[in-house]
Amino acid sequence: MIGSNDTAEVLVQALPYIRRFSGKTVVVKLGGAALHNANGAGSDLDRAMAQDVLLLKSVGVRVVLVHGGGPQIDDFMRKVGKEPEFRGGLRVTDAETLDIVRMVLVGKINRDLVSAINREEPVGVGVSGEDGGLLTAVQRDPDLGFVGDVTHVRAALLHQLLDDGLTPVVSTVGADAAGQPYNINADDAAMAIAVAMGAEKIVYLTAAPGLLEDVDDPDSLVHRLTSAELRDRIADAGISDGMIPKLRACADAVEGGVGSAHIIDGRVAHAILIELLTDEGIGTMVWKAA
Amino acid sequence: MIGSNDTAEVLVQALPYIRRFSGKTVVVKLGGAALHNANGAGSDLDRAMAQDVLLLKSVGVRVVLVHGGGPQIDDFMRKVGKEPEFRGGLRVTDAETLDIVRMVLVGKINRDLVSAINREEPVGVGVSGEDGGLLTAVQRDPDLGFVGDVTHVRAALLHQLLDDGLTPVVSTVGADAAGQPYNINADDAAMAIAVAMGAEKIVYLTAAPGLLEDVDDPDSLVHRLTSAELRDRIADAGISDGMIPKLRACADAVEGGVGSAHIIDGRVAHAILIELLTDEGIGTMVWKAA
Amino acid sequence: MIGSNDTAEVLVQALPYIRRFSGKTVVVKLGGAALHNANGAGSDLDRAMAQDVLLLKSVGVRVVLVHGGGPQIDDFMRKVGKEPEFRGGLRVTDAETLDIVRMVLVGKINRDLVSAINREEPVGVGVSGEDGGLLTAVQRDPDLGFVGDVTHVRAALLHQLLDDGLTPVVSTVGADAAGQPYNINADDAAMAIAVAMGAEKIVYLTAAPGLLEDVDDPDSLVHRLTSAELRDRIADAGISDGMIPKLRACADAVEGGVGSAHIIDGRVAHAILIELLTDEGIGTMVWKAA
Amino acid sequence: MIGSNDTAEVLVQALPYIRRFSGKTVVVKLGGAALHNANGAGSDLDRAMAQDVLLLKSVGVRVVLVHGGGPQIDDFMRKVGKEPEFRGGLRVTDAETLDIVRMVLVGKINRDLVSAINREEPVGVGVSGEDGGLLTAVQRDPDLGFVGDVTHVRAALLHQLLDDGLTPVVSTVGADAAGQPYNINADDAAMAIAVAMGAEKIVYLTAAPGLLEDVDDPDSLVHRLTSAELRDRIADAGISDGMIPKLRACADAVEGGVGSAHIIDGRVAHAILIELLTDEGIGTMVWKAA
Amino acid sequence: MIGSNDTAEVLVQALPYIRRFSGKTVVVKLGGAALHNANGAGSDLDRAMAQDVLLLKSVGVRVVLVHGGGPQIDDFMRKVGKEPEFRGGLRVTDAETLDIVRMVLVGKINRDLVSAINREEPVGVGVSGEDGGLLTAVQRDPDLGFVGDVTHVRAALLHQLLDDGLTPVVSTVGADAAGQPYNINADDAAMAIAVAMGAEKIVYLTAAPGLLEDVDDPDSLVHRLTSAELRDRIADAGISDGMIPKLRACADAVEGGVGSAHIIDGRVAHAILIELLTDEGIGTMVWKAA
Amino acid sequence: MIGSNDTAEVLVQALPYIRRFSGKTVVVKLGGAALHNANGAGSDLDRAMAQDVLLLKSVGVRVVLVHGGGPQIDDFMRKVGKEPEFRGGLRVTDAETLDIVRMVLVGKINRDLVSAINREEPVGVGVSGEDGGLLTAVQRDPDLGFVGDVTHVRAALLHQLLDDGLTPVVSTVGADAAGQPYNINADDAAMAIAVAMGAEKIVYLTAAPGLLEDVDDPDSLVHRLTSAELRDRIADAGISDGMIPKLRACADAVEGGVGSAHIIDGRVAHAILIELLTDEGIGTMVWKAA
C-alpha cells in the first residue's frame, strides 16, 4: 500500500497538470511497430492505453489518436502475393498497393483501435484523412507513386468530433483536390495534425524508453531538451534510423507551436498518464526555448 | 431548351417540397449490386448520385448514406482463396470472413463513396457501425457466425455529424457490448437507422424501376401504396427474391415512424432529386395509411 | 408532362441558386403601371407574384416588396375634383395632394398587396417609409412641394421584420427629422432600400420584357450587361422615357453594392422565379464588372 | 417649485409601479372623438400623450396604441358625396365604404398618430389588423355589410414589434381567412388585443373624467370598482350611450385576464402617467375581485 | 395632496433619469459620522436610505454601498483600553489596531448596514476589500503602520454580485499581494471603486447640505461646479477639514471618468432619490467640463 | 522517489473521482478547535488546507467552507471582561454576546480563513449567514437568548458565487425575517447548507482520525458505515461529547440527500485530497444504504 505522504505528493503534483491540460488538445501517435509488438488489439497494454486516453478525456483533455501500420501492410501484401518495395525508406505505392494500404489502415488497424477504446466506453470513431477533407496531400515524388505530403489539415473537423464528446482515431491516408488518395507517413501526419489543431502536446508512443544518450544503455535517458539541441543530436551518429523521423517531427512540432513533444515507451503500462501528470515524467520531452 | 411554363411548373412544384424537407433527415441506401453495376466510384451515375446528395444538403436536407457490398465481398474472398458460403440467403461469417467484410466495406467501398462525395465537396465522412457505438448488435444465429441484428442505433452520433455540416456514409458493421463486431444486412440497418433518427424518408436505390405489377413489364410501376397493401403483395408470387427484404424494410420503416419509403431506379441519373422534388416521382412510394 | 431529363435539368440548375440566395435579401419593385394593368389585387398575375414571393421566402430568401402608384393617385385626385400637375415628370405635391398620396399608397394599394400575400399565407405587413423612421427624406425642390429624396434608410427595421418571419410591403412616403412627410419616387426608394439592406438583388417588375436592342422588336432582349454599358445606352436615343429612371436606378443599385439588378416582365406568370432560379433568366440583368 | 417632501413622495410612490410594470404590456385605446377634440396630431395633448407613451417605453413598459376614427370617416364620406348610415349604432359598410374606412384609418389617422410619436422618437409603426393576420374577423350581420367581430388575435406579431423596440399603432381593420377585410369596432378590438397579449392593463382615453356617479357632477368620479359592480351599473339608467361599450369592454378585459382596465380623461395632459404611476390615479379603475 | 400638474412634472422629470441610469452603476459612500449621527442601524433615516437604494435597484440602477467607521473604531479601541492615535489626520494602525479595525468595520458596521437593507429585502451582502482580491493595497508610510493606498480594484467582483441581483456593502480593508491586510480611507476607496467600475455617479452622504459658499449659511449651497472650479475652491480658506478629502475625491472621480460626483445631506430623508431623479437636485454636483 | 507503478495506481484511482466530482458541490466544515490547534491562519496545515480547496476547485469541484469559532469567542469575551456561559452545551447569547460573536466570527476568523485562501489565489470571499438572506433562523429557546436554528438556506446565493469562480467562506450567523441576527451551531449549519445545495459530500475536519471503535486506539478507525449503523453507535457509550453533534449531522446530511459525509483528521496535511481522491480514504465515511 502506498503511504498517505506519497499519495498526497502524486495528487498535489497531478492536479495542476490536470487543470492546465483541461480543454487542451493532446495528439498521441501509436506506431505500427508498437501495435505489432503489443500483439493485437486485445492486449493488456492496449487496454491500459485506451484507459489512459479515456481517463484524460474524463478530466477534459481532448485526445486525438493517430496510427501507422507499416508492418501490418507488409504482411497483408505478402498474403495477396505482392512484395513490398521501398525507396529511401518510403513504400513505393502503386494503385493496387494504395488499395491495400487503405484496407489495412482504415479497414483493419483503425477498426482494432476503435474496438479497444469502445470496449471501455463507446466514444471511439475512426476517421481517415480522406474524410471531410481532413488531410489534403500532394504527391511527393512520381517514382514513389501515391505517396503524399500533407499540405493542409482541416483541424476543425477533429475539433468538432471532440466537441461532440468523441475520440477520433485517425488513419493517415489523404487526398488531393481532385480526390486522388495518397499514403502518408504517420509520424509526419501526426505532427501536422498537432500543429494545425494548436495542440498543447504531441506524444509518440514507441518501442523505446525515449531518446538515449547511449543507445545501448537504457538508463541514459535524456529527460528534456530543446528543439535546437535535438536538431544537433539528429546530426550525431548513433541514433537509430527508425527514431530519426520521430525526432525531426518532434522538433517540427514544437517549432510549429505545439507546447511540447514527448517520446515515451509504449511498453510501459499507463506511460501516457505518468508522462503527462507527474513532474518527472517517463520519457523524453522536447520543448522550444523562449 | 425548356419553355418558361415548364420551368415555372417544375419550380412551383419543387419549392414546397424543399421547404418541407429542409431540416429533415433522409436516409439513402445504396445497394452493392447498384454500386457493382455502376462500374466503380468514378462513373457518371455515381457522380449524379453525389450531386443529388449535395444539392439536397445545400437546401437543408440532412442526408445519410448507407451502403452494402455483397458482390464486392464475394470477389475479394475469392481473391484471397476463400469461397463464400450462404445459408438462407445470409453469408456465413467466420472470424476471417469478418475481417474481410470489414476491410471491403470500411476500407474499400466506403472509401470509394466518400471519394465520390468529396470530389464534389469535401464533406463526406465514413462511419462504421462500430464507431462511437453507432450500431449495437446481437448474434442472429450461431450457425451463421458473426452475423448480427441491430438492437440499438445511437442516432445522436449521426445527427451530430450532420449538425457539423458533414455527410455520413455508413458501413453496416456493428458490435455488441463486449466489443465483438458483427456483419449486418445493409437493408435492415438502413431501416433501423432511419427509424432511430426520426427520418422523413428512406430511399432504396436499386437496379430496378421500383415495384412492378408485372415484373416483366417495366411500365407496370406501382407509384404509391400503403404498407398494408405492400405486405399483402409480399405474400404474392412473382416478386423477385432480392426485392423482398427491401419491401419488408420499407413496410417496417413507415410503420416505425418514417414518413415514407421509396424504391427507385439507381440507373437513372438524378433519380433521388426527381423522386423527392416532383409530384409524380420516379419510383414506388410506400406510406402508412392514417 | 415534362420528361425526367428536363425535370432533372431544371432542379439541378435551381438548387445552387436556392442555396446561394438563401439568407440573402431580394428587393422587388412593383410598378404602379403593372399593378394598374393587372386589374386589381385579385388577378391571376398578382396571385402568381404572391406565390413567387412566398415560395422564395419558404426556401430562406428575404423578400421585400416596394410599390408605387402614380396612376391610382391620378384617378383618386380626379375623383375628389383635383387635377394632377407635373413638372419635369414629377408630381407637384401640395399638402392636400400629400394627404391623398398617403391615403392611396398606404390606405389602398399597400392594403391590396398585403391582402394578395395574406390570401396565400398571413405574413404580409404593410410598412410606410414614415414607420419607425424607415425612410428619412429631404425636400427636393420647393417648387415641387412635398416631394422628397431619400437621405437615409433604417434598414434594420426591415431586417427585423424579416427576422420575425414577415414579408414587408413598403409604401414610399418618407419624413424629415421634424416629422414632415414627403412623397418619394418608388424606383429610387427601392434602389436606396436595396443598397442600404445589402441586398443580393433588386428586381423591377415592369410592363415590358426588359431592355430591348430595338424597342419595336420584343425578341431583341438584352440578357446581360454591365452598369457601365447600361449608362452608355441610357444616353442613346430610342429608350422610352418611363424606362430611363429604372435603368438609372439599376446602375445606381449595382454600383452601390447590390449583387445584380433585373428588369423583368410582370405580365409573365412566375417571372420572378424564372429570373432568379434558372441560368437563362427571362429579362435583363445588370451587373458590375469587377 | 415643488418641495422635497412632495417630490420624495411622488418618487417613492412611482418607483414600485415602474418596477411592477416594467416588461408588462399596456394597451392604450385612443378614441376617435378624443382625437377629433384634440384637433389634429399636432396638438399639445397629442404631444403629451406621445411623451407618456415614450416615457413608459423608456422604463420598460410595452405600450400598444389602438385607435378608432368614426367622426373622421363620416367627414370623408361626405366629402366624396356618400352619406354615412348606421343601424343599432353600427356603421353599415358596403365595399365602397370599406375602402374609405381603410383609407381614413390606415392612410390618415394611423399616419397622424405615427407622426406624433415619431416627432419625439422614430419608433412608431403603423399596423393594420390585416397585417400579418393580426386580427382575424367574421362577419357580424349580413345587413351591416363588411362589419366584423374579432375571432383571433395574433398577439405574437405585436410582441415581436415590441421586442424590436418599436411602438405599434393599430388600426382596427381585420380580415377573414379568405382575405376579405372587415371594419371592426375599436373599443372591442383593443380589448381583444389586450386579452390576447396577456396585458397588465388596458387604458381607454376618453373625453370624460371616467365613470361618474352623477353624470352631471364631474366631482362624482368612481375611482375603483370590480367588474361585477361595473356590470350592475351598466344596467342602470344615466350612463351615456357612448360610454356603455367602453364599460362592457373594461369588464370583458379584466374577466379575460387583463390585470385592470382604466377609463381616463384624454383632455388632461399626462393623464396616462398619473393614472399608472400614482396611488390615487386620475380616472376609473376596473378590477376583478379575487 | 399633491396636484396632478405637480405630480406630472415630477414624473416627466424623473422618467428620463431612470431610463438614463438604468443599467448604470452608482457608488454611495456612507460616512462613519453620518452613521454615528443617525444613531444606529434602526433609525428612520437608515430605513429611508435603504429604501432609496432598493427603489433605485428596482428600476435597474446598480448601487454599491461603501462605508467608513472612524468614530466607531475610536469607541471600540477605548473599550478595550487602547487610545487612538493619529498622524496628519490618519490613524496609526499597529497589528492589534488592524484586528480591531477589521472587527468593527467588517464584524459590526457592515453587519448593521446589511441588516438595514435586508430588513427591507434580503439582497444586501457584505464584502470586505480583502474578499476575492477586491482592493489591492500598498503601505502608505511605515510610520503609519498598516495604512494602505488602493493600487487596484477588482471591479468585476462587484459587477458579478450586482449581476446576481445582490447589493454589495463594502468595508474598506484591503490586502497586498502577500496577503497582508491594510486599513484604507473610505472616501478614497469609494472613489477608486467608482472609477474602476466605470460608475455613472458617486454620491457622498454627509452631515452637511453640500458645498456651501459660506459655511455658516446653509442657504449658500453651490449646486453645480466643475472639477477645475472645485480644485480652486479647495485651496480657499473656509472649507472644513473633514470636507476637504471628500472634495478631492469628487474631483478625482470625475477626472477619472465617473459621470458626476455628488455631496448631499444624509440627514434629509430620501436625499439620494431627490438628487438623482430631479432636475434641481438637493446637494452639490461636480462634473467635468468637456 | 515514487515508482511508476505506484504513481500510475494513484492516478488511475484519482481520475475517475475527479471526473465524478467535477461540477459537484463539497462542503468542508472547519472546527474552531481545529483552527485553534492549528495555531493561526499562517500555519502549514492551514496552507495545505487552502491548497486542497484550490486544487479541487481547479478541477471543477465546487468547494464551500463553513467555520465555527467557539474557543476564539471564549477568549475574546474574557478579554472584554465577560464570562462565557453555557446551558446544555450551548452558549447563552445576550445582545452584547451576539455582537461579540459577529465580530469574532465575521470580523476575525472568517477574515483569517479568507486570507489563507487568498494568499494562494485571490478567490476567497467571506459570507455571513445574514448576507443576502443566506441563513434564515428561528430562536431555539428564549433561555438561550439569540441562539437560532436554521429553517431555510438560500443555496442559490452560494451557487452564484461558485458560478462566479469564487470560493465562499461562511460564518454561521443567521437572521430571522425581521432582521434579528442569531448565533447558529456551525456543525448544524454546515449540514443544512450541504443538504440545501444538493452537495455530493460534506467533510468535517476535526482534531481526531475519525470515528474509532475504541476511542483509545487510533488504529481502530471505522472506515465506512451507514447512517443507520451510525445512529446505533451514537447511542453507545464511549463516544466523546464533542463528536456526537458531528456524527448526528453526518447522519442527517446523508439522509437529507448528501451523497456521503466524512469525518477526517485536520491534523494530517492534505487530508481532504486523500479522502476524496483515493479508494482507501483517510477517515470515516458515512453513506446511506439504498
Side-chain angles (χ1 to χ4, degrees), chain E residues 25 29 90 152 155 166 171 180-182 192 215 270:
Chain E
T25 300
K29 160 68 185 14
L90 291 161
H152 181 73
L166 301 169
S171 302
Q180 171 61 48
Y182 289 97
V215 76
H270 301 296

Side-chain angles (χ1 to χ4, degrees), chain A residues 160-192:
Chain A
Q160 285 172 327
L161 293 170
L162 292 165
D163 289 346
D164 292 341
L166 301 168
T167 297
V169 179
V170 181
S171 302
T172 60
V173 179
D176 63 17
Q180 171 60 48
Y182 289 96
N183 180 17
I184 299 177
N185 176 273
D187 288 331
D188 289 347
M191 180 272 291

Side-chain angles (χ1 to χ4, degrees), chain C residues 118 122 124 126 130-132 154 164, chain D residues 118 122 124 126 130-132 154 164:
Chain C
N118 288 358
E130 299 167 273
D131 287 327
R154 188 171 162 194
D164 292 342
Chain D
N118 289 358
E130 300 166 272
D131 287 326
R154 187 171 163 195
D164 292 341

